[in-house]
Amino acid sequence: MRIIEPSYKILTEISEGGVKELQHIEKIGRVCYKSEDKITEDGESAKNFVKMLIGRGHEAMIEHSSLSVKFTVDRGVSHELVRHRIASFAQESTRYCNYSKDKFDNGVTFIKPFFFEEDTQNYKEWIYAMGIAEKSYLQLLKDGATPQEARSVLPNSTKTEITITANYREWRNFFKLRTAKAAHPQMREVTRPLLNELKEILPIIFDDIEVEE
């Protein structure tokens, strides 16, 4: 049994300062206004133009660019991630992945719940429950059950990897919902640092979204 922390990885390559990405949006968006003559090569016109679009709520134009992110989270969190319908998903499948195999270190990996402090009774109860789940899962496989049958004993804490590709407009909506105080705490555990990183590498697109403390 392995216990790991949740994480994410941005898969889309982003240019320095996100300039090329902004220029792509500008090139498309200026068709609406027929103002292509105002495009500058240094990217300054793109920054101002995209900022104007977002400020006016004309976010249809930023749908022309997309971003892919791989999340390593528990299955409870992944169930909420796939509710964002204007996106594409690729998720580790417990139907086909056999965790008794060597490539999975012959066991199940679980995501550590940050709200249970180590050395507390709650954490000990959680560890015990994960151990029982893994033991039952491996025994079912040994007794001839298929992975899709054995997975029925795996809990929400089971680790999964899920890659999400969505356009910038949907990502903005995603962060407004998933970094809010009302969001699931384990969801916020990965979405808050992701948003902060995107503010650094894709400024203007995400700058105006505040992370609630």
Side-chain angles (χ1 to χ4, degrees):
M1 181 172 70
R2 294 176 62 226
I3 309 297
I4 64 171
E5 303 281 349
S7 61
Y8 68 84
K9 182 178 181 180
I10 298 171
L11 302 182
T12 303
E13 291 187 14
I14 305 297
S15 65
E16 184 69 29
V19 173
K20 289 184 179 179
E21 288 71 21
L22 295 176
Q23 288 176 319
H24 176 69
I25 295 170
E26 179 189 28
K27 186 187 299 181
I28 294 169
R30 285 196 180 278
V31 171
C32 299
Y33 306 94
K34 296 312 299 172
S35 58
E36 293 93 334
D37 59 305
K38 295 184 178 179
I39 293 176
T40 61
E41 293 185 5
D42 61 4
E44 289 304 311
S45 65
K47 294 176 184 178
N48 293 329
F49 183 77
V50 176
K51 186 174 182 178
M52 178 273 293
L53 290 177
I54 293 174
R56 293 183 178 180
H58 191 16
E59 296 189 10
M61 294 303 99
I62 66 174
E63 292 177 9
H64 290 279
S65 287
S66 64
L67 181 71
S68 296
V69 179
K70 182 172 76 171
F71 292 92
T72 300
V73 292
D74 72 22
R75 296 196 69 86
V77 171
S78 76
H79 295 335
E80 296 192 9
L81 289 173
V82 297
R83 292 176 65 190
H84 292 267
R85 298 173 187 173
I86 309 176
S88 298
F89 305 92
Q91 184 173 6
E92 176 181 340
S93 174
T94 51
R95 286 190 65 195
Y96 304 112
C97 292
N98 185 332
Y99 297 120
S100 68
K101 301 297 185 182
D102 289 344
K103 68 177 179 179
F104 297 109
D105 295 326
N106 313 109
V108 183
T109 299
F110 300 102
I111 297 293
K112 180 181 177 182
F114 74 90
F115 40 76
F116 291 154
E117 295 288 339
E118 292 188 30
D119 298 324
T120 63
Q121 188 59 37
N122 283 345
Y123 187 75
K124 292 176 182 177
E125 289 289 347
W126 179 80
I127 287 288
Y128 175 76
M130 297 307 103
I132 292 296
E134 180 188 55
K135 182 179 179 181
S136 298
Y137 171 82
L138 294 175
Q139 186 62 49
L140 284 168
L141 291 174
K142 186 177 180 181
D143 292 343
T146 63
Q148 70 176 358
E149 294 169 342
R151 71 173 181 172
S152 60
V153 300
L154 295 178
N156 272 348
S157 290
T158 304
K159 165 260 182 186
T160 189
E161 295 179 11
I162 179 167
T163 297
I164 301 177
T165 299
N167 65 59
Y168 291 167
R169 187 181 196 178
E170 177 56 22
W171 277 114
R172 283 175 56 82
N173 177 61
F174 173 87
F175 286 121
K176 289 175 183 178
L177 294 173
R178 300 306 182 181
T179 62
K181 287 183 179 180
H184 192 286
Q186 285 178 289
M187 178 71 78
R188 298 184 79 206
E189 189 178 11
V190 288
T191 57
R192 292 171 67 189
L194 173 58
L195 175 57
N196 287 331
E197 182 173 352
L198 286 171
K199 285 186 175 188
E200 292 291 326
I201 65 175
L202 266 175
I204 298 177
I205 299 295
F206 299 106
D207 278 351
D208 61 318
I209 303 175
E210 297 297 328
V211 176
E212 294 186 48
E213 300 299 332

PDB file of all heavy atoms in Angstrom, residues 182-212:
ATOM      1  N   ALA A 182     -16.758  27.215  -0.857  1.00  0.00           N
ATOM      2  CA  ALA A 182     -17.750  26.138  -0.833  1.00  0.00           C
ATOM      3  C   ALA A 182     -17.268  24.870  -1.532  1.00  0.00           C
ATOM      4  O   ALA A 182     -17.910  23.821  -1.417  1.00  0.00           O
ATOM      5  CB  ALA A 182     -19.045  26.614  -1.483  1.00  0.00           C
ATOM      6  N   ALA A 183     -16.142  24.955  -2.244  1.00  0.00           N
ATOM      7  CA  ALA A 183     -15.635  23.781  -2.954  1.00  0.00           C
ATOM      8  C   ALA A 183     -15.117  22.742  -1.962  1.00  0.00           C
ATOM      9  O   ALA A 183     -14.766  23.060  -0.818  1.00  0.00           O
ATOM     10  CB  ALA A 183     -14.528  24.192  -3.920  1.00  0.00           C
ATOM     11  N   HIS A 184     -15.039  21.497  -2.411  1.00  0.00           N
ATOM     12  CA  HIS A 184     -14.520  20.430  -1.560  1.00  0.00           C
ATOM     13  C   HIS A 184     -13.077  20.764  -1.164  1.00  0.00           C
ATOM     14  O   HIS A 184     -12.276  21.179  -1.999  1.00  0.00           O
ATOM     15  CB  HIS A 184     -14.566  19.102  -2.311  1.00  0.00           C
ATOM     16  CG  HIS A 184     -14.325  17.912  -1.447  1.00  0.00           C
ATOM     17  ND1 HIS A 184     -13.084  17.576  -0.963  1.00  0.00           N
ATOM     18  CD2 HIS A 184     -15.176  16.981  -0.958  1.00  0.00           C
ATOM     19  CE1 HIS A 184     -13.166  16.490  -0.221  1.00  0.00           C
ATOM     20  NE2 HIS A 184     -14.438  16.103  -0.207  1.00  0.00           N
ATOM     21  N   PRO A 185     -12.728  20.599   0.112  1.00  0.00           N
ATOM     22  CA  PRO A 185     -11.382  20.970   0.562  1.00  0.00           C
ATOM     23  C   PRO A 185     -10.256  20.248  -0.176  1.00  0.00           C
ATOM     24  O   PRO A 185      -9.195  20.838  -0.412  1.00  0.00           O
ATOM     25  CB  PRO A 185     -11.385  20.623   2.057  1.00  0.00           C
ATOM     26  CG  PRO A 185     -12.552  19.709   2.256  1.00  0.00           C
ATOM     27  CD  PRO A 185     -13.555  20.128   1.238  1.00  0.00           C
ATOM     28  N   GLN A 186     -10.473  18.989  -0.559  1.00  0.00           N
ATOM     29  CA  GLN A 186      -9.426  18.285  -1.296  1.00  0.00           C
ATOM     30  C   GLN A 186      -9.339  18.753  -2.749  1.00  0.00           C
ATOM     31  O   GLN A 186      -8.293  18.617  -3.380  1.00  0.00           O
ATOM     32  CB  GLN A 186      -9.670  16.771  -1.242  1.00  0.00           C
ATOM     33  CG  GLN A 186      -9.318  16.165   0.112  1.00  0.00           C
ATOM     34  CD  GLN A 186      -9.603  14.688   0.153  1.00  0.00           C
ATOM     35  OE1 GLN A 186     -10.763  14.270   0.177  1.00  0.00           O
ATOM     36  NE2 GLN A 186      -8.570  13.881   0.148  1.00  0.00           N
ATOM     37  N   MET A 187     -10.429  19.305  -3.266  1.00  0.00           N
ATOM     38  CA  MET A 187     -10.403  19.928  -4.583  1.00  0.00           C
ATOM     39  C   MET A 187      -9.560  21.203  -4.521  1.00  0.00           C
ATOM     40  O   MET A 187      -8.682  21.440  -5.358  1.00  0.00           O
ATOM     41  CB  MET A 187     -11.820  20.256  -5.055  1.00  0.00           C
ATOM     42  CG  MET A 187     -11.893  20.956  -6.394  1.00  0.00           C
ATOM     43  SD  MET A 187     -11.492  19.912  -7.796  1.00  0.00           S
ATOM     44  CE  MET A 187     -13.030  19.002  -7.955  1.00  0.00           C
ATOM     45  N   ARG A 188      -9.809  22.017  -3.511  1.00  0.00           N
ATOM     46  CA  ARG A 188      -9.074  23.272  -3.356  1.00  0.00           C
ATOM     47  C   ARG A 188      -7.585  23.025  -3.123  1.00  0.00           C
ATOM     48  O   ARG A 188      -6.744  23.869  -3.449  1.00  0.00           O
ATOM     49  CB  ARG A 188      -9.642  24.081  -2.192  1.00  0.00           C
ATOM     50  CG  ARG A 188     -11.105  24.496  -2.354  1.00  0.00           C
ATOM     51  CD  ARG A 188     -11.556  25.361  -1.201  1.00  0.00           C
ATOM     52  NE  ARG A 188     -11.096  26.728  -1.369  1.00  0.00           N
ATOM     53  CZ  ARG A 188     -10.886  27.576  -0.360  1.00  0.00           C
ATOM     54  NH1 ARG A 188     -11.077  27.189   0.879  1.00  0.00           N
ATOM     55  NH2 ARG A 188     -10.480  28.807  -0.604  1.00  0.00           N
ATOM     56  N   GLU A 189      -7.268  21.864  -2.581  1.00  0.00           N
ATOM     57  CA  GLU A 189      -5.878  21.524  -2.305  1.00  0.00           C
ATOM     58  C   GLU A 189      -5.033  21.535  -3.574  1.00  0.00           C
ATOM     59  O   GLU A 189      -3.832  21.845  -3.538  1.00  0.00           O
ATOM     60  CB  GLU A 189      -5.820  20.147  -1.633  1.00  0.00           C
ATOM     61  CG  GLU A 189      -4.463  19.766  -1.091  1.00  0.00           C
ATOM     62  CD  GLU A 189      -4.481  18.409  -0.391  1.00  0.00           C
ATOM     63  OE1 GLU A 189      -5.489  17.673  -0.512  1.00  0.00           O
ATOM     64  OE2 GLU A 189      -3.473  18.086   0.256  1.00  0.00           O
ATOM     65  N   VAL A 190      -5.651  21.204  -4.721  1.00  0.00           N
ATOM     66  CA  VAL A 190      -4.908  21.221  -5.993  1.00  0.00           C
ATOM     67  C   VAL A 190      -5.271  22.411  -6.874  1.00  0.00           C
ATOM     68  O   VAL A 190      -4.422  22.892  -7.647  1.00  0.00           O
ATOM     69  CB  VAL A 190      -5.113  19.908  -6.788  1.00  0.00           C
ATOM     70  CG1 VAL A 190      -4.384  18.762  -6.129  1.00  0.00           C
ATOM     71  CG2 VAL A 190      -6.588  19.577  -6.968  1.00  0.00           C
ATOM     72  N   THR A 191      -6.501  22.909  -6.787  1.00  0.00           N
ATOM     73  CA  THR A 191      -6.901  23.988  -7.694  1.00  0.00           C
ATOM     74  C   THR A 191      -6.318  25.335  -7.302  1.00  0.00           C
ATOM     75  O   THR A 191      -6.025  26.154  -8.183  1.00  0.00           O
ATOM     76  CB  THR A 191      -8.431  24.104  -7.775  1.00  0.00           C
ATOM     77  OG1 THR A 191      -8.983  24.313  -6.457  1.00  0.00           O
ATOM     78  CG2 THR A 191      -9.037  22.859  -8.387  1.00  0.00           C
ATOM     79  N   ARG A 192      -6.144  25.576  -6.028  1.00  0.00           N
ATOM     80  CA  ARG A 192      -5.600  26.880  -5.611  1.00  0.00           C
ATOM     81  C   ARG A 192      -4.160  27.076  -6.076  1.00  0.00           C
ATOM     82  O   ARG A 192      -3.835  28.102  -6.679  1.00  0.00           O
ATOM     83  CB  ARG A 192      -5.738  27.042  -4.104  1.00  0.00           C
ATOM     84  CG  ARG A 192      -7.193  27.165  -3.645  1.00  0.00           C
ATOM     85  CD  ARG A 192      -7.319  27.096  -2.143  1.00  0.00           C
ATOM     86  NE  ARG A 192      -6.727  28.247  -1.493  1.00  0.00           N
ATOM     87  CZ  ARG A 192      -6.559  28.345  -0.174  1.00  0.00           C
ATOM     88  NH1 ARG A 192      -6.919  27.359   0.620  1.00  0.00           N
ATOM     89  NH2 ARG A 192      -6.032  29.427   0.344  1.00  0.00           N
ATOM     90  N   PRO A 193      -3.258  26.115  -5.815  1.00  0.00           N
ATOM     91  CA  PRO A 193      -1.888  26.305  -6.326  1.00  0.00           C
ATOM     92  C   PRO A 193      -1.819  26.303  -7.846  1.00  0.00           C
ATOM     93  O   PRO A 193      -0.982  26.992  -8.436  1.00  0.00           O
ATOM     94  CB  PRO A 193      -1.116  25.124  -5.724  1.00  0.00           C
ATOM     95  CG  PRO A 193      -2.140  24.131  -5.329  1.00  0.00           C
ATOM     96  CD  PRO A 193      -3.355  24.912  -4.964  1.00  0.00           C
ATOM     97  N   LEU A 194      -2.705  25.525  -8.513  1.00  0.00           N
ATOM     98  CA  LEU A 194      -2.724  25.525  -9.976  1.00  0.00           C
ATOM     99  C   LEU A 194      -3.105  26.900 -10.509  1.00  0.00           C
ATOM    100  O   LEU A 194      -2.460  27.422 -11.431  1.00  0.00           O
ATOM    101  CB  LEU A 194      -3.702  24.470 -10.492  1.00  0.00           C
ATOM    102  CG  LEU A 194      -3.963  24.466 -12.006  1.00  0.00           C
ATOM    103  CD1 LEU A 194      -2.674  24.270 -12.792  1.00  0.00           C
ATOM    104  CD2 LEU A 194      -4.983  23.387 -12.369  1.00  0.00           C
ATOM    105  N   LEU A 195      -4.127  27.496  -9.939  1.00  0.00           N
ATOM    106  CA  LEU A 195      -4.532  28.832 -10.382  1.00  0.00           C
ATOM    107  C   LEU A 195      -3.412  29.842 -10.162  1.00  0.00           C
ATOM    108  O   LEU A 195      -3.127  30.662 -11.042  1.00  0.00           O
ATOM    109  CB  LEU A 195      -5.793  29.278  -9.640  1.00  0.00           C
ATOM    110  CG  LEU A 195      -6.255  30.718  -9.914  1.00  0.00           C
ATOM    111  CD1 LEU A 195      -6.493  30.945 -11.397  1.00  0.00           C
ATOM    112  CD2 LEU A 195      -7.512  31.041  -9.097  1.00  0.00           C
ATOM    113  N   ASN A 196      -2.769  29.775  -9.012  1.00  0.00           N
ATOM    114  CA  ASN A 196      -1.670  30.710  -8.732  1.00  0.00           C
ATOM    115  C   ASN A 196      -0.529  30.542  -9.734  1.00  0.00           C
ATOM    116  O   ASN A 196       0.083  31.531 -10.153  1.00  0.00           O
ATOM    117  CB  ASN A 196      -1.161  30.510  -7.303  1.00  0.00           C
ATOM    118  CG  ASN A 196      -2.131  31.037  -6.263  1.00  0.00           C
ATOM    119  OD1 ASN A 196      -2.887  31.971  -6.524  1.00  0.00           O
ATOM    120  ND2 ASN A 196      -2.127  30.438  -5.083  1.00  0.00           N
ATOM    121  N   GLU A 197      -0.249  29.312 -10.127  1.00  0.00           N
ATOM    122  CA  GLU A 197       0.811  29.087 -11.119  1.00  0.00           C
ATOM    123  C   GLU A 197       0.395  29.624 -12.484  1.00  0.00           C
ATOM    124  O   GLU A 197       1.199  30.236 -13.197  1.00  0.00           O
ATOM    125  CB  GLU A 197       1.145  27.601 -11.221  1.00  0.00           C
ATOM    126  CG  GLU A 197       2.269  27.324 -12.211  1.00  0.00           C
ATOM    127  CD  GLU A 197       2.748  25.882 -12.212  1.00  0.00           C
ATOM    128  OE1 GLU A 197       2.320  25.103 -11.342  1.00  0.00           O
ATOM    129  OE2 GLU A 197       3.549  25.531 -13.107  1.00  0.00           O
ATOM    130  N   LEU A 198      -0.860  29.412 -12.845  1.00  0.00           N
ATOM    131  CA  LEU A 198      -1.330  29.899 -14.145  1.00  0.00           C
ATOM    132  C   LEU A 198      -1.341  31.423 -14.195  1.00  0.00           C
ATOM    133  O   LEU A 198      -1.150  32.017 -15.265  1.00  0.00           O
ATOM    134  CB  LEU A 198      -2.725  29.341 -14.441  1.00  0.00           C
ATOM    135  CG  LEU A 198      -2.756  27.860 -14.824  1.00  0.00           C
ATOM    136  CD1 LEU A 198      -4.184  27.347 -14.892  1.00  0.00           C
ATOM    137  CD2 LEU A 198      -2.036  27.620 -16.145  1.00  0.00           C
ATOM    138  N   LYS A 199      -1.559  32.058 -13.072  1.00  0.00           N
ATOM    139  CA  LYS A 199      -1.488  33.523 -13.040  1.00  0.00           C
ATOM    140  C   LYS A 199      -0.079  33.998 -13.375  1.00  0.00           C
ATOM    141  O   LYS A 199       0.101  35.083 -13.947  1.00  0.00           O
ATOM    142  CB  LYS A 199      -1.895  34.038 -11.663  1.00  0.00           C
ATOM    143  CG  LYS A 199      -3.394  33.976 -11.389  1.00  0.00           C
ATOM    144  CD  LYS A 199      -3.717  34.644 -10.056  1.00  0.00           C
ATOM    145  CE  LYS A 199      -5.211  34.698  -9.827  1.00  0.00           C
ATOM    146  NZ  LYS A 199      -5.572  35.499  -8.633  1.00  0.00           N
ATOM    147  N   GLU A 200       0.904  33.167 -13.040  1.00  0.00           N
ATOM    148  CA  GLU A 200       2.293  33.531 -13.319  1.00  0.00           C
ATOM    149  C   GLU A 200       2.649  33.281 -14.786  1.00  0.00           C
ATOM    150  O   GLU A 200       3.323  34.097 -15.412  1.00  0.00           O
ATOM    151  CB  GLU A 200       3.231  32.713 -12.427  1.00  0.00           C
ATOM    152  CG  GLU A 200       3.142  33.048 -10.943  1.00  0.00           C
ATOM    153  CD  GLU A 200       3.676  34.428 -10.630  1.00  0.00           C
ATOM    154  OE1 GLU A 200       4.642  34.857 -11.319  1.00  0.00           O
ATOM    155  OE2 GLU A 200       3.149  35.083  -9.718  1.00  0.00           O
ATOM    156  N   ILE A 201       2.210  32.145 -15.338  1.00  0.00           N
ATOM    157  CA  ILE A 201       2.643  31.781 -16.695  1.00  0.00           C
ATOM    158  C   ILE A 201       1.658  32.202 -17.774  1.00  0.00           C
ATOM    159  O   ILE A 201       2.022  32.258 -18.953  1.00  0.00           O
ATOM    160  CB  ILE A 201       2.922  30.264 -16.798  1.00  0.00           C
ATOM    161  CG1 ILE A 201       1.643  29.450 -16.592  1.00  0.00           C
ATOM    162  CG2 ILE A 201       3.993  29.851 -15.809  1.00  0.00           C
ATOM    163  CD1 ILE A 201       1.831  27.963 -16.809  1.00  0.00           C
ATOM    164  N   LEU A 202       0.401  32.483 -17.397  1.00  0.00           N
ATOM    165  CA  LEU A 202      -0.593  32.960 -18.360  1.00  0.00           C
ATOM    166  C   LEU A 202      -1.295  34.194 -17.798  1.00  0.00           C
ATOM    167  O   LEU A 202      -2.509  34.168 -17.547  1.00  0.00           O
ATOM    168  CB  LEU A 202      -1.620  31.872 -18.653  1.00  0.00           C
ATOM    169  CG  LEU A 202      -1.360  30.976 -19.860  1.00  0.00           C
ATOM    170  CD1 LEU A 202      -2.406  29.877 -19.943  1.00  0.00           C
ATOM    171  CD2 LEU A 202      -1.344  31.782 -21.148  1.00  0.00           C
ATOM    172  N   PRO A 203      -0.538  35.258 -17.577  1.00  0.00           N
ATOM    173  CA  PRO A 203      -1.161  36.462 -17.020  1.00  0.00           C
ATOM    174  C   PRO A 203      -2.233  37.023 -17.952  1.00  0.00           C
ATOM    175  O   PRO A 203      -2.244  36.715 -19.145  1.00  0.00           O
ATOM    176  CB  PRO A 203       0.024  37.430 -16.889  1.00  0.00           C
ATOM    177  CG  PRO A 203       1.032  36.946 -17.888  1.00  0.00           C
ATOM    178  CD  PRO A 203       0.880  35.463 -17.903  1.00  0.00           C
ATOM    179  N   ILE A 204      -3.115  37.783 -17.397  1.00  0.00           N
ATOM    180  CA  ILE A 204      -4.261  38.411 -18.075  1.00  0.00           C
ATOM    181  C   ILE A 204      -5.428  37.423 -18.187  1.00  0.00           C
ATOM    182  O   ILE A 204      -6.555  37.754 -17.863  1.00  0.00           O
ATOM    183  CB  ILE A 204      -3.914  39.000 -19.453  1.00  0.00           C
ATOM    184  CG1 ILE A 204      -2.869  40.118 -19.281  1.00  0.00           C
ATOM    185  CG2 ILE A 204      -5.161  39.530 -20.158  1.00  0.00           C
ATOM    186  CD1 ILE A 204      -2.395  40.736 -20.574  1.00  0.00           C
ATOM    187  N   ILE A 205      -5.150  36.183 -18.626  1.00  0.00           N
ATOM    188  CA  ILE A 205      -6.221  35.199 -18.747  1.00  0.00           C
ATOM    189  C   ILE A 205      -6.828  34.879 -17.377  1.00  0.00           C
ATOM    190  O   ILE A 205      -8.056  34.743 -17.245  1.00  0.00           O
ATOM    191  CB  ILE A 205      -5.712  33.903 -19.402  1.00  0.00           C
ATOM    192  CG1 ILE A 205      -5.194  34.158 -20.819  1.00  0.00           C
ATOM    193  CG2 ILE A 205      -6.824  32.836 -19.418  1.00  0.00           C
ATOM    194  CD1 ILE A 205      -6.257  34.610 -21.785  1.00  0.00           C
ATOM    195  N   PHE A 206      -5.983  34.783 -16.361  1.00  0.00           N
ATOM    196  CA  PHE A 206      -6.466  34.359 -15.043  1.00  0.00           C
ATOM    197  C   PHE A 206      -6.242  35.379 -13.929  1.00  0.00           C
ATOM    198  O   PHE A 206      -6.611  35.128 -12.792  1.00  0.00           O
ATOM    199  CB  PHE A 206      -5.787  33.023 -14.665  1.00  0.00           C
ATOM    200  CG  PHE A 206      -6.096  31.907 -15.619  1.00  0.00           C
ATOM    201  CD1 PHE A 206      -5.127  31.478 -16.525  1.00  0.00           C
ATOM    202  CD2 PHE A 206      -7.321  31.283 -15.628  1.00  0.00           C
ATOM    203  CE1 PHE A 206      -5.394  30.446 -17.418  1.00  0.00           C
ATOM    204  CE2 PHE A 206      -7.608  30.246 -16.516  1.00  0.00           C
ATOM    205  CZ  PHE A 206      -6.641  29.830 -17.412  1.00  0.00           C
ATOM    206  N   ASP A 207      -5.660  36.506 -14.268  1.00  0.00           N
ATOM    207  CA  ASP A 207      -5.284  37.496 -13.252  1.00  0.00           C
ATOM    208  C   ASP A 207      -6.445  37.938 -12.367  1.00  0.00           C
ATOM    209  O   ASP A 207      -6.259  38.199 -11.179  1.00  0.00           O
ATOM    210  CB  ASP A 207      -4.683  38.736 -13.911  1.00  0.00           C
ATOM    211  CG  ASP A 207      -3.212  38.538 -14.246  1.00  0.00           C
ATOM    212  OD1 ASP A 207      -2.649  37.532 -13.807  1.00  0.00           O
ATOM    213  OD2 ASP A 207      -2.654  39.395 -14.940  1.00  0.00           O
ATOM    214  N   ASP A 208      -7.619  38.090 -12.931  1.00  0.00           N
ATOM    215  CA  ASP A 208      -8.733  38.710 -12.196  1.00  0.00           C
ATOM    216  C   ASP A 208      -9.492  37.720 -11.301  1.00  0.00           C
ATOM    217  O   ASP A 208     -10.411  38.121 -10.587  1.00  0.00           O
ATOM    218  CB  ASP A 208      -9.722  39.355 -13.166  1.00  0.00           C
ATOM    219  CG  ASP A 208     -10.347  38.341 -14.117  1.00  0.00           C
ATOM    220  OD1 ASP A 208      -9.600  37.463 -14.614  1.00  0.00           O
ATOM    221  OD2 ASP A 208     -11.560  38.410 -14.358  1.00  0.00           O
ATOM    222  N   ILE A 209      -9.126  36.457 -11.332  1.00  0.00           N
ATOM    223  CA  ILE A 209      -9.812  35.458 -10.493  1.00  0.00           C
ATOM    224  C   ILE A 209      -9.137  35.382  -9.141  1.00  0.00           C
ATOM    225  O   ILE A 209      -7.952  35.041  -9.037  1.00  0.00           O
ATOM    226  CB  ILE A 209      -9.812  34.079 -11.171  1.00  0.00           C
ATOM    227  CG1 ILE A 209     -10.452  34.156 -12.556  1.00  0.00           C
ATOM    228  CG2 ILE A 209     -10.554  33.059 -10.297  1.00  0.00           C
ATOM    229  CD1 ILE A 209     -10.375  32.859 -13.349  1.00  0.00           C
ATOM    230  N   GLU A 210      -9.876  35.721  -8.118  1.00  0.00           N
ATOM    231  CA  GLU A 210      -9.312  35.748  -6.777  1.00  0.00           C
ATOM    232  C   GLU A 210      -9.472  34.381  -6.093  1.00  0.00           C
ATOM    233  O   GLU A 210     -10.514  33.732  -6.205  1.00  0.00           O
ATOM    234  CB  GLU A 210     -10.020  36.809  -5.922  1.00  0.00           C
ATOM    235  CG  GLU A 210      -9.838  38.239  -6.439  1.00  0.00           C
ATOM    236  CD  GLU A 210      -8.380  38.682  -6.409  1.00  0.00           C
ATOM    237  OE1 GLU A 210      -7.647  38.218  -5.482  1.00  0.00           O
ATOM    238  OE2 GLU A 210      -7.962  39.468  -7.275  1.00  0.00           O
ATOM    239  N   VAL A 211      -8.425  33.963  -5.404  1.00  0.00           N
ATOM    240  CA  VAL A 211      -8.472  32.724  -4.632  1.00  0.00           C
ATOM    241  C   VAL A 211      -8.991  33.053  -3.245  1.00  0.00           C
ATOM    242  O   VAL A 211      -8.375  33.807  -2.501  1.00  0.00           O
ATOM    243  CB  VAL A 211      -7.081  32.071  -4.524  1.00  0.00           C
ATOM    244  CG1 VAL A 211      -7.140  30.832  -3.635  1.00  0.00           C
ATOM    245  CG2 VAL A 211      -6.551  31.709  -5.914  1.00  0.00           C
ATOM    246  N   GLU A 212     -10.145  32.497  -2.899  1.00  0.00           N
ATOM    247  CA  GLU A 212     -10.732  32.766  -1.582  1.00  0.00           C
ATOM    248  C   GLU A 212      -9.935  32.040  -0.501  1.00  0.00           C
ATOM    249  O   GLU A 212      -9.616  30.872  -0.636  1.00  0.00           O
ATOM    250  CB  GLU A 212     -12.184  32.296  -1.542  1.00  0.00           C
ATOM    251  CG  GLU A 212     -13.112  33.077  -2.466  1.00  0.00           C
ATOM    252  CD  GLU A 212     -14.561  32.670  -2.269  1.00  0.00           C
ATOM    253  OE1 GLU A 212     -14.989  32.606  -1.102  1.00  0.00           O
ATOM    254  OE2 GLU A 212     -15.233  32.429  -3.269  1.00  0.00           O
TER     255      GLU A 212
END
